[in-house]
Amino acid sequence: MEFFAYHGFYPVEQKVGCRYTVDLTMRLKTDALESDRLSDTLNYEEVYRAVREEMEKPSKLIEHVAKRILERLRGDFPIIEGMTLQLYKHNPPLGGQVGKVSVRLTD
């Protein structure tokens, strides 16, 4: 998932924003493997909406954003048994050429 958001420790980051990528892997308890019914599994459109809403809330640290996303998904979707989330910040202002930095959390 890709977003443009306003996270960052420095005030300039909070004003100009930058591009972020969220990679999410989930382990589900689902009957959809056999039933082929959306009602038996996770609606990924709803997951995207929840992640987008959390990305829209500015934070100073991407670690905080990632934790908030995991907590939101765990609370909203009990079908999720476990998750790994990696949040990438593209072109961070580190004083040199850096393509991206990331944080990975596993729940």
Side-chain angles (χ1 to χ4, degrees), residues 29-94:
K29 182 179 180 185
T30 178
D31 294 326
L33 298 170
E34 300 300 324
S35 73
D36 198 28
R37 292 189 313 243
L38 182 58
S39 60
D40 287 337
T41 194
L42 187 60
N43 183 324
Y44 301 118
E45 186 176 6
E46 292 175 8
V47 170
Y48 176 84
R49 189 175 307 118
V51 173
R52 184 188 69 219
E53 288 173 5
E54 294 304 320
M55 287 297 295
E56 290 173 350
K57 299 175 188 174
S59 292
K60 290 181 181 176
L61 303 175
I62 60 174
E63 291 86 347
H64 181 77
V65 179
K67 181 178 184 288
R68 204 175 55 231
I69 292 169
L70 286 181
E71 288 175 347
R72 167 80 181 268
L73 295 178
R74 176 65 79 188
D76 286 2
F77 306 102
I79 192 172
I80 299 174
E81 292 185 329
M83 296 173 274
T84 298
L85 181 143
Q86 189 152 0
L87 174 57
Y88 297 89
K89 181 175 189 170
H90 297 267
N91 302 310
L94 300 179

